[in-house]
Amino acid sequence: MGKTILTGDRPTGKLHLGHYVGSLRRRVELQNAGEFEKMFVFMADVQALTDNADNPEKIRKNIIEVALDYLSAGLDPEKCIIFIQSQIPELAELTTYLMNLVTVSRVERNPTVKTEIKMRNFEANIPLGFFCYPVSQAADITLFKADIVPAGEDQKPMLEITRELVRRFNSTYGEVLVEPDIMLPENATARRLPGTDGKEKMSKSLGNCIYLSDDADTVWQKVRSMFTDPNHLNVSDPGTVEGNAVFTYLDAFSCDDDFAKYLPDYKNLDEMKDHYRRGGLGDMKCKKLLNSILNEMLDPIRKRRHELEQDIPEIYNILRRGTEKARETAAQTMDEVRNAMKINYFDDAELIRQQSEYFKNK
Ligand code: TRP
């Protein structure tokens, strides 16, 4: 049988360039390569609520933003099943059973959860739902029998717990669930795109993002004020490329053809970097090039988003249809899970027959 691929995002904000290079671009490629039998992409609103319980409106509003980002970036509901996590009750059901197969101390050892607890100042008061989200994530993955989960480095601990839970489930109840593998981003820039301020990570809370939905003026404002080399004061000064956000973005987004098109002074990025290092190349020129490249990439995405925004009810219909399709797989796996766990009382004619025999002959 062909392989299944599954991945999701917490709908806590619009998607930005970091999401694009880190995951979205790859997902569209994977979708179009057609090597996988099934592909699921979902909005993890249940998980988002584990640390936003008091702000459901934020999650609700971002469901549609993320859906528009997905579709405008090229995810195609004909090729990939897009759904909303909370609308699959089977996920809650499977989570309940998986929780019996893992200990509190095992979940406590999860380094991603540890960091998140610190970041959110949850130390004294960890919401139980938040604490359990790695188990719920294991349900997300296993309910759809995903073989491959494209995700960032920070999701490795979730995949480890998932694999342990699969082994535990299968050895306890029978072979039902599938052990997934993580598919990490292909290179360093894809793993972590810095913010426009040069900080380690592009992130909404740091206010250093370029959003897929930013218009051309906004992109230029952001690119123009981007962090470069703080010691590169005059055009003639030698400059540093490493840690210079403009060059990191050029690494992530430019190709040789862009030079012929926008900056024929150089054949490729290496030549341009050499000039910057020697001195004599100004930041503005670099930023203008980056701006052209970003806008060429973002223009079709923005146009498509604008078209999609004209029919919002249809976007909800796409999500509804995706969710219905996802539930078919979910129901199928849950039947197998209930059979294996012997909690299929009403569907097991043999059980009813045996029990009536037993009580007759008692
Ligand atoms: N934890 C992921 C994130 O924070 C989102 C997520 C939830 C997910 N369930 C998943 C990712 C299942 C991959 C597979 O981005």
Side-chain angles (χ1 to χ4, degrees):
M1 224 185 52
K3 299 234 172 205
T4 297
I5 183 163
L6 171 140
T7 183
D9 299 289
R10 296 183 193 178
T12 51
K14 295 187 284 188
L15 302 185
H16 52 60
L17 289 181
H19 295 115
Y20 190 71
V21 284
S23 58
L24 197 46
R25 187 164 66 177
R26 180 88 163 294
R27 290 180 196 169
V28 175
E29 282 164 17
L30 289 166
Q31 165 199 277
N32 293 335
E35 280 165 31
F36 292 91
E37 178 165 308
K38 273 196 193 157
M39 177 163 177
F40 295 96
V41 176
F42 71 100
M43 285 169 249
D45 61 335
V46 175
Q47 191 174 111
L49 284 164
T50 64
D51 62 338
N52 287 284
D54 52 356
N55 199 358
E57 193 54 39
K58 168 171 146 193
I59 310 304
R60 179 192 179 78
K61 162 177 122 229
N62 281 306
I63 290 270
I64 191 75
E65 295 284 1
V66 173
L68 286 165
D69 287 331
Y70 280 170
L71 296 169
S72 49
L75 285 184
D76 175 354
E78 297 294 318
K79 295 184 189 157
C80 125
I81 299 173
I82 306 174
F83 69 92
I84 305 179
Q85 188 186 26
S86 60
Q87 305 307 300
I88 311 280
E90 289 84 356
L91 279 172
E93 196 178 349
L94 183 56
T95 303
T96 304
Y97 299 130
L98 292 182
M99 284 202 279
N100 299 333
L101 302 176
V102 61
T103 61
V104 169
S105 64
R106 175 65 188 91
V107 177
E108 266 169 351
R109 269 194 281 131
N110 183 314
T112 301
V113 173
K114 272 192 195 161
T115 323
E116 286 176 330
I117 287 173
K118 275 210 197 92
M119 261 166 47
R120 289 162 178 70
N121 295 321
F122 276 167
E123 280 101 337
N125 276 307
I126 309 173
L128 189 54
F130 177 82
F131 182 76
C132 295
Y133 94 71
V135 184
S136 145
Q137 184 158 340
D140 300 339
I141 297 168
T142 53
L143 186 62
F144 299 96
K145 299 194 177 179
D147 302 280
I148 308 282
V149 177
E153 199 83 32
D154 61 332
Q155 299 300 304
K156 264 188 177 170
M158 310 302 161
L159 268 286
E160 271 164 32
I161 288 195
T162 305
R163 293 169 61 90
E164 286 171 29
L165 279 166
V166 169
R167 289 196 289 268
R168 197 66 206 280
F169 184 98
N170 289 351
S171 64
T172 311
Y173 303 117
E175 291 285 322
V176 174
L177 305 180
V178 174
E179 260 188 72
D181 282 308
I182 191 165
M183 180 192 258
L184 292 168
E186 61 270 60
N187 58 48
T189 23
R191 275 199 287 280
R192 181 155 293 189
L193 191 76
T196 50
D197 55 1
K199 289 221 180 84
E200 200 188 345
K201 194 179 171 187
M202 184 174 278
S203 129
K204 193 181 47 173
S205 49
L206 297 172
N208 59 8
C209 300
I210 296 178
Y211 292 99
L212 292 179
S213 48
D214 279 345
D215 62 28
D217 284 342
T218 309
V219 171
W220 174 235
Q221 293 312 321
K222 291 181 179 176
V223 170
R224 204 176 55 175
S225 55
M226 257 176 91
F227 177 85
T228 57
D229 168 5
N231 300 315
H232 186 242
L233 299 175
N234 302 303
V235 173
S236 56
D237 292 342
T240 306
V241 164
E242 289 69 31
N244 180 324
V246 172
F247 281 96
T248 311
Y249 283 30
L250 286 171
D251 276 329
F253 298 106
S254 75
C255 63
D256 292 357
D257 286 352
D258 292 325
F259 288 86
K261 214 181 305 170
Y262 299 117
L263 198 57
D265 307 5
Y266 311 102
K267 263 213 302 291
N268 53 41
L269 186 55
D270 285 335
E271 277 190 8
M272 184 177 173
K273 283 181 178 173
D274 284 343
H275 192 187
Y276 193 81
R277 289 193 178 102
R278 278 199 310 273
L281 171 56
D283 282 349
M284 243 337 151
K285 206 162 170 178
C286 306
K287 289 178 170 175
K288 280 192 177 140
L289 172 67
L290 176 61
N291 186 56
S292 306
I293 292 172
L294 288 182
N295 277 320
E296 180 178 329
M297 182 182 90
L298 292 174
D299 249 340
I301 299 178
R302 283 193 287 247
K303 282 214 183 78
R304 179 118 183 86
R305 199 184 213 271
H306 182 74
E307 282 164 24
L308 292 163
E309 285 171 0
Q310 306 313 305
D311 192 357
I312 293 297
E314 178 52 19
I315 309 297
Y316 283 105
N317 279 329
I318 289 173
L319 297 177
R320 180 205 300 270
R321 289 194 292 267
T323 303
E324 281 164 4
K325 269 195 225 157
R327 272 200 85 179
E328 288 169 21
T329 306
Q332 168 69 37
T333 308
M334 253 346 269
D335 276 344
E336 293 171 34
V337 164
R338 287 190 217 101
N339 289 348
M341 291 182 69
K342 309 224 170 285
I343 49 175
N344 56 343
Y345 313 107
F346 307 137
D347 301 327
D348 190 347
E350 182 56 20
L351 165 78
I352 299 172
R353 198 194 57 76
Q354 271 174 10
Q355 291 301 310
S356 35
E357 282 298 301
Y358 170 76
F359 282 99
K360 230 180 269 166
N361 302 325
K362 184 166 79 144

